[in-house]
Amino acid sequence: MRSINVRSLAVASSSSSFGCNITGNNSTPYKAYNLSTSQSFGSRTFGTTTENEETKREENNDQKLNDESATVDEEQATDGEKDSEEPEQSREEELQVEVTKLKDQLLRSLAEQENIRRIAKKDVQSSKNYAVSSFAKSLLDTHDNLQRAMEAVPEELRVDHENHKTLANLYEGIKMTDDNFTKAFKKNNLIKYGAVDDKFDPNLHNALFEYADDTKEAGTVGQVMKSGFMLNKRVLRPADVGTIKK
């Protein structure tokens, strides 16, 4: 292998060129090369190219920074718009909830007032209808006594004005009094009920005893011991009866 010895290296700063003399072992000098600024490896050309690349790189970096900054600004602006819209939506939702709540309270208040009005009206009507309950009930005993008095007179003597005029007149007077009682009761919606052969109803009748009778239908009223009365369709006193055994 041939060895290369560098003999001289000269740099000319004024002409921006340098030269090299290269000799081998046989002391044969190689051709010296002069590189100038006009050649591809000139120092000035190389330096200018590097500066341009750095300038372009810096411009690209600046452009990227500007783009990133613009993107960040747009995102911040978008976030700001969202933040500004959210309170408005939240406030609208709060108002809607409040309106719904107030509407519910209003409806409840109106319903409660309607219930109070209805209950008060019912109480007034009930008081009006049954105000005479106690008084009417106290008269029922008198009516019962009149009924017993008439039943005590034998049927053949009730109209015998020739032989038993006094007794017949007494019976007639008692009957007229009882009839007036009955008319007064009806006028005040106090209705008398309870008759033989009526269907037995535990809500209307009070069964005192039960007996067998083949001539009557089972489960009906066979005897009426005490008549019942209803005041405005409400049982004031149930009828005391004897029922037919099933």
Side-chain angles (χ1 to χ4, degrees):
M1 183 181 293
R2 180 184 296 176
S3 62
I4 300 173
N5 295 325
V6 178
R7 296 290 186 180
S8 64
L9 179 60
V11 179
S13 59
S14 60
S15 60
S16 300
S17 64
F18 63 91
C20 296
N21 292 326
I22 304 174
T23 59
N25 292 331
N26 56 2
S27 300
T28 303
Y30 286 91
K31 184 178 179 180
Y33 292 93
N34 293 326
L35 299 178
S36 62
T37 58
S38 62
Q39 293 177 339
S40 60
F41 294 97
S43 61
R44 288 187 178 181
T45 303
F46 182 78
T48 303
T49 303
T50 303
E51 291 176 358
N52 291 334
E53 291 178 355
E54 291 180 355
T55 302
K56 291 181 179 180
R57 190 179 297 109
E58 291 177 357
E59 290 178 355
N60 292 333
N61 292 334
D62 293 339
Q63 184 64 31
K64 289 181 179 180
L65 292 175
N66 292 332
D67 294 340
E68 292 177 357
S69 178
T71 303
V72 172
D73 293 339
E74 290 177 357
E75 292 178 354
Q76 291 179 352
T78 304
D79 294 339
E81 292 177 357
K82 292 181 179 179
D83 294 338
S84 61
E85 291 176 357
E86 288 178 357
E88 294 179 358
Q89 294 178 355
S90 178
R91 180 60 177 170
E92 183 178 355
E93 292 176 356
E94 290 178 359
L95 293 175
Q96 185 64 33
V97 171
E98 186 175 357
V99 168
T100 304
K101 184 177 180 181
L102 292 175
K103 184 178 180 180
D104 182 69
Q105 291 178 355
L106 177 61
L107 293 177
R108 289 178 182 273
S109 178
L110 292 175
E112 185 176 0
Q113 291 178 5
E114 183 63 25
N115 289 335
I116 293 173
R117 188 182 300 108
R118 181 172 52 83
I119 293 172
K121 183 179 180 180
K122 184 177 180 181
D123 291 341
V124 170
Q125 187 66 29
S126 178
S127 299
K128 181 180 178 181
N129 292 337
Y130 307 108
V132 297
S133 296
S134 179
F135 176 72
K137 195 170 185 179
S138 64
L139 294 177
L140 297 181
D141 293 335
T142 304
H143 175 73
D144 293 338
N145 292 331
L146 293 175
Q147 290 285 326
R148 294 187 185 100
M150 288 188 297
E151 291 174 357
V153 178
E155 292 184 2
E156 64 274 11
L157 301 178
R158 294 176 183 178
V159 292
D160 189 1
H161 292 280
E162 293 180 1
N163 300 322
H164 301 87
K165 183 177 181 180
T166 303
L167 186 59
N169 291 335
L170 178 61
Y171 176 83
E172 186 176 355
I174 294 173
K175 189 175 184 307
M176 291 178 61
T177 303
D178 183 68
D179 290 340
N180 288 333
F181 262 105
T182 303
K183 290 179 181 179
F185 288 163
K186 289 182 178 180
K187 186 177 181 180
N188 291 277
N189 295 322
L190 184 62
I191 308 300
K192 181 180 178 181
Y193 72 90
V196 177
D197 294 333
D198 287 348
K199 188 71 175 177
F200 175 77
D201 186 350
N203 297 317
L204 303 176
H205 303 102
N206 182 24
L208 299 179
F209 57 91
E210 188 178 34
Y211 66 99
D213 190 344
D214 295 337
T215 62
K216 297 182 180 298
E217 183 181 357
T220 60
V221 175
Q223 296 182 20
V224 179
M225 311 304 295
K226 186 186 294 186
S227 299
F229 286 88
M230 297 180 66
L231 179 61
N232 292 315
K233 298 182 179 181
R234 177 188 292 181
V235 176
L236 184 64
R237 188 186 73 179
D240 292 338
V241 299
T243 60
I244 307 301
K245 184 183 296 185
K246 293 182 181 180

